[in-house]
Amino acid sequence: TVAILSDSLSVVAKKMPKILDFENKRSFFKQELRKQQERHFMPLSLRIRRNDIFLGSYSQLMNKNAEEIKGKLDIQFIGEEGVDAGGLTREWYLLLSRSIFNQDYALFKESANVGTYQPSPQSYVNPDHLRYFKFVGRIIGKALHDGYQLDAFFTRSMYKHMIGQSLSIHDMEDIDPEYYKNLKWILNNDPTPLDITFSYETDDFGKLKNVELIPDGHNIQVTNENKEQYVREMCYARMARDIKSQIEAILEGFHELIPPNLVSIFDSRELELMISGLPDIDLSLIHI
């Protein structure tokens, strides 16, 4: 009977995931990962210094292939006694996930909706940024694979990239609520008097740069007739095009451990729960 129920869940999850609730999706996800884990993987031992957790973990994990990374982690913090019975691994995931947002690495940018992050368009200032992003993708995938959670929250659009879901204008609200309101105003009004064009300015380390949304965009005015195209292009630029190589690097590392067809059973909010659980809410930021 258990096998029949399991097979039925598998069929529904693959064919009609939207009709399953979160708990059933999570059960199916874990069941599929357990099938992978039936194969024997060598233990993965890491010796890490607490004050060098990002670069130390990076150097040890990025010289291994995807199959080697699937091994059971054995974490040892250098200079500390203790056997890893799971607690050290959990601590490693938490500390490492916090370190990826360290501004010294210039990888991520905090959204205006405080507490969530997406790749920074200026991450190229770090010459190894794409390798680092692949490493971040591996860590997210490894945590999901091993059943640990990270202390890291990403923008809604980032989760959608991970599950292969289309973006929408509403995802911009999670990145910049004020800018989202401006875009909504444009959709609901005639923007012709604003004299804006299909281009936008970016601050590239103090130097303003004009970027075209479409060919010859700086000469094409946004009107009541083409405003929907403008909003679509603007949202796509902010959430995808400007950080395309960074997103691709993250997904490359992520999909080495988590197959795209398996993670796609979740929606963006469910994937956030799987990766990070529920965020801590600072009540002082809530205005009643």
Side-chain angles (χ1 to χ4, degrees):
T1 304
V2 174
I4 294 173
L5 288 173
S6 178
D7 290 343
S8 300
L9 180 60
S10 177
V11 171
V12 175
K14 291 175 180 176
K15 301 292 185 182
M16 299 175 289
K18 288 184 178 179
I19 72 172
L20 288 179
D21 62 23
F22 175 61
E23 286 305 321
N24 275 316
K25 289 182 185 178
R26 182 160 60 177
S27 295
F28 170 74
F29 182 82
K30 290 181 177 179
Q31 169 188 305
E32 291 298 299
L33 287 182
R34 274 196 297 271
K35 290 179 183 177
Q36 289 186 17
Q37 291 163 1
E38 288 172 1
R39 296 160 55 193
H40 180 68
F41 299 110
M42 295 294 292
L44 183 58
S45 297
L46 302 181
R47 300 295 175 261
I48 305 294
R49 296 186 187 279
R50 282 184 181 272
N51 62 357
D52 191 33
I53 193 164
F54 183 87
L55 293 178
S57 300
Y58 169 83
S59 64
Q60 293 181 58
L61 285 177
M62 288 305 284
N63 63 6
K64 300 185 183 302
N65 60 41
E67 293 299 294
E68 291 173 316
I69 290 176
K70 291 176 182 177
K72 186 179 186 301
L73 276 170
D74 174 30
I75 300 294
Q76 180 68 53
F77 288 106
I78 295 173
E80 301 178 21
E81 295 183 1
V83 177
D84 188 5
L88 294 179
T89 294
R90 182 174 293 104
E91 185 180 8
W92 174 78
Y93 272 120
L94 291 176
L95 295 175
L96 178 58
S97 60
R98 292 167 189 162
S99 74
I100 68 175
F101 303 126
N102 186 324
Q103 291 304 300
D104 290 344
Y105 305 123
L107 299 178
F108 287 89
K109 183 177 181 180
E110 188 171 18
S111 68
N113 188 8
V114 179
T116 62
Y117 294 81
Q118 74 170 19
S120 168
Q122 284 82 38
S123 65
Y124 64 82
V125 70
N126 184 330
D128 295 319
H129 71 133
L130 295 183
R131 287 275 294 170
Y132 286 151
F133 279 120
K134 181 178 178 180
F135 169 64
V136 170
R138 280 185 162 190
I139 294 304
I140 298 171
K142 177 67 173 164
L144 273 178
H145 183 272
D146 292 355
Y148 289 90
Q149 291 189 329
L150 304 177
D151 188 9
F153 292 87
F154 301 97
T155 57
R156 186 70 43 216
S157 54
M158 270 305 303
Y159 294 116
K160 286 190 171 184
H161 284 303
M162 291 182 192
I163 60 179
Q165 186 178 346
S166 299
L167 305 176
S168 82
I169 177 181
H170 305 296
D171 299 321
M172 182 60 71
E173 185 174 19
D174 191 49
I175 297 173
D176 191 335
E178 197 60 38
Y179 188 67
Y180 171 73
K181 287 180 185 177
N182 294 340
L183 293 178
K184 291 283 285 184
W185 187 94
I186 289 173
L187 289 176
N188 295 325
N189 297 275
D190 183 357
T192 306
L194 298 178
D195 198 28
I196 54 179
T197 64
F198 275 76
S199 63
Y200 62 100
E201 281 190 342
T202 62
D203 185 347
D204 196 13
F205 297 106
K207 182 179 180 182
L208 291 179
K209 185 170 69 173
N210 192 271
V211 181
E212 294 188 332
L213 293 170
I214 57 177
D216 200 34
H218 69 284
N219 287 321
I220 302 174
Q221 187 176 16
V222 178
T223 65
N224 212 35
E225 288 70 36
N226 63 20
K227 64 185 181 182
E228 290 186 4
Q229 181 191 4
Y230 169 78
V231 169
R232 282 197 307 272
E233 294 286 351
M234 199 68 230
C235 288
Y236 182 74
R238 289 280 299 273
M239 295 188 287
R241 193 181 72 183
D242 290 353
I243 50 175
K244 183 175 183 288
S245 59
Q246 293 91 326
I247 291 169
E248 288 176 345
I250 290 173
L251 295 182
E252 181 184 356
F254 181 66
H255 289 149
E256 284 182 343
L257 289 103
I258 307 296
N261 64 319
L262 180 55
V263 75
S264 66
I265 66 172
F266 298 111
D267 64 30
S268 58
R269 296 185 187 280
E270 290 168 338
L271 182 60
E272 180 180 25
L273 282 174
M274 291 293 293
I275 293 174
S276 310
L278 292 170
D280 292 328
I281 299 174
D282 186 347
L283 296 179
S284 68
L285 298 177
I286 299 177
H287 302 288
I288 301 176

